[in-house]
Amino acid sequence: MTTTPPPRTVFTAEDYRARMARAVDAATRAGLAGVLVAPGPDLAHLTGYTPPADTERLTLLVLTPEREPVLVVPALEAGEIAHATGAAALTLRDWKDGADPYALAAPLLSASGRYAVSDSTWALHLLGLQRARPGTSYAALTDALPMLRAVKDARELELMAAAGAAADATYEEILTVRFAGRKEREVARDLAALLRHFGHSQVDFTIVGSGPNGADPHHEAGDRVIAHGDMVVMDFGGLKDGYGSDTTRTVHVGEPTPAEQHVHDVVREAQRAGVEAVRPGVACQEVDRAAREIIEEAGYGDLFIHRTGHGIGVTTHEPPYMVEGEELPLVPGMCFSVEPGIYLPGRFGVRIEDIVAVTEDGGRRLNTSGRAMALVE
Ligand code: ZN
Ligand code: ZN
Ligand code: ZN
């Protein structure tokens, strides 16, 4: 069996113990009996453990006020857990193939308890728990306890800032490469290589949308050859030391037309307004409204076709969302994107995105590379 090296981490077993205790407290305050966490970003965040694979074999962290944290784990993977920093804070209950892991987990749950369950838990596992403990009920973790991962502590914020700085360095470097005459996917490869060069262990996306492709926010990078006169949207990010980066800049190959410059100016102003709306107590939807108002006043309201932002942390896209209807108030330590855009079908698109951390007195940008439209060759 191959073993994966332990992930580089600045967190100790005590940190993970404290995080798990906070999760139990938050669940209790929310009237829940506990928190159940299957493999995924929540398990990594709470224990430092990333299983070799997320499979049909049940791995489940059970956090309740009644007992110390328990990890139900397949016997053949129990050895892997020793690599996780948080292992010292866990009691293991292993099960062998052929045994019923849900029957093993059931006595850890109260007969009629309501539990928060991690969003990425397989339906197979949740149905197994319901069968083994029919009186229990469940709520999605991010719905029930949205602040659990959303609010970062001081060291997490340092790691977020370092990931942001690496993305900014990537952007500064990409401005020096050749655009005209190369395919989008070649520039995307450059972005990925630079992210890794600046310390990312995982690249999640490298969007390069040139000319009309920039008007499609979901366009990744394709075979289109970038031409002189193109606008180019670049949106890239991934994980560095376990925390996410995600930034977007829109550049122009050669001199822009006044119309192109105007659209870019509007998006830049909208992005500034979104960031300036950030302060503790303000609802998430206010960030969206502040950015959207600028774009609507400029007459492009129907061309801003997505929400203004999303949370980020141990993954690059997560709740809460900066969107109309999200009334969750901002809290110091939250990190999320502010990324308004304008998309002119068949012509070009502009998006500008920074990650912002909520501080006591406003929003702190974790991306500080220039937002003026850079001219490339
Ligand atoms: Zn142009
Ligand atoms: Zn992005
Ligand atoms: Zn984003």
Side-chain angles (χ1 to χ4, degrees):
M1 176 185 269
T2 58
T3 53
T4 47
R8 214 148 77 76
T9 175
V10 298
F11 300 107
T12 65
E14 271 318 301
D15 293 327
Y16 290 116
R17 200 186 302 275
R19 274 185 199 167
M20 289 190 277
R22 276 200 301 276
V24 172
D25 281 351
T28 304
R29 281 199 306 276
L32 297 166
V35 181
L36 308 181
V37 184
D42 291 298
L43 187 65
H45 185 248
L46 288 164
T47 68
Y49 178 51
T50 306
D54 183 10
T55 70
E56 76 289 354
R57 291 187 174 104
L58 180 71
T59 295
L60 189 73
L61 175 66
V62 179
L63 301 177
T64 62
E66 291 82 32
R67 56 175 64 78
E68 293 298 300
V70 174
L71 189 69
V72 174
V73 63
L76 80 166
E77 289 170 19
E80 284 295 304
I81 297 180
H83 297 301
T85 316
L90 299 171
T91 302
L92 299 189
R93 297 274 176 92
D94 66 349
W95 61 276
K96 293 193 178 68
D97 283 352
D100 179 354
Y102 310 106
L104 179 68
L108 304 171
L109 308 182
S110 77
S112 59
R114 182 168 177 78
Y115 292 86
V117 59
S118 58
D119 295 17
S120 56
T121 304
W122 286 26
L124 177 75
H125 298 319
L126 188 53
L127 292 167
L129 290 170
Q130 284 180 317
R131 200 167 53 241
R133 223 29 169 164
T136 53
S137 61
Y138 300 89
L141 181 54
T142 56
D143 285 342
L145 304 172
M147 290 303 171
L148 215 53
R149 258 170 47 206
V151 177
K152 276 73 176 172
D153 66 25
R155 264 174 301 168
E156 291 184 288
L157 288 170
E158 281 172 25
L159 293 171
M160 289 294 304
D168 288 349
T170 295
Y171 173 66
E172 297 299 335
E173 285 291 316
I174 204 71
L175 294 179
T176 67
V177 310
R178 181 89 196 158
F179 282 72
R182 293 173 75 216
K183 290 179 178 176
E184 291 173 345
R185 65 171 91 248
E186 294 177 82
V187 176
R189 266 200 295 273
D190 291 344
L191 284 169
L194 286 166
L195 284 169
R196 290 186 190 282
H197 172 77
F198 289 113
H200 280 62
S201 59
Q202 180 178 315
V203 175
D204 286 1
F205 44 87
T206 51
I207 293 174
V208 178
S210 66
N213 287 343
D216 171 10
H218 271 168
H219 174 79
E220 286 267 337
D223 288 323
R224 185 177 183 277
V225 176
I226 301 169
H228 190 84
D230 280 349
M231 287 279 228
V232 184
V233 179
M234 293 184 288
D235 184 347
F236 47 93
L239 296 182
K240 177 181 186 295
D241 296 327
Y243 283 79
S245 71
D246 182 5
T247 189
T248 307
R249 293 290 183 264
T250 303
V251 301
H252 195 272
V253 187
E255 285 291 324
T257 64
E260 288 168 334
Q261 185 64 55
H262 174 68
V263 172
H264 193 278
D265 289 345
V266 171
V267 173
R268 190 178 168 192
E269 178 63 10
Q271 207 265 353
R272 186 198 56 76
V275 173
E276 286 189 357
V278 174
R279 59 187 176 280
V282 163
C284 289
Q285 65 183 1
E286 294 297 337
V287 177
D288 183 80
R289 287 175 183 173
R292 199 166 298 277
E293 191 183 340
I294 301 288
I295 290 176
E296 281 172 354
E297 279 172 0
Y300 297 106
D302 57 339
L303 301 178
F304 178 15
I305 50 179
H306 55 74
R307 64 197 175 203
T308 293
H310 55 81
I312 183 168
V314 295
T315 74
T316 44
H317 276 87
E318 60 190 43
Y321 300 106
M322 305 301 121
V323 65
E324 184 64 33
E326 180 53 86
E327 295 176 353
L328 202 66
L330 299 181
V331 173
M334 285 172 70
C335 296
F336 52 83
S337 69
V338 177
E339 51 177 307
I342 294 176
Y343 306 94
L344 296 104
R347 295 177 60 198
F348 65 92
V350 174
R351 182 167 64 257
I352 300 174
E353 172 180 27
D354 291 323
I355 301 305
V356 175
V358 183
T359 69
E360 293 295 341
D361 49 11
R364 170 190 166 212
R365 290 181 201 265
L366 302 185
N367 296 106
T368 56
S369 59
R371 288 180 298 282
M373 185 159 60
L375 307 186
V376 297
E377 296 194 336

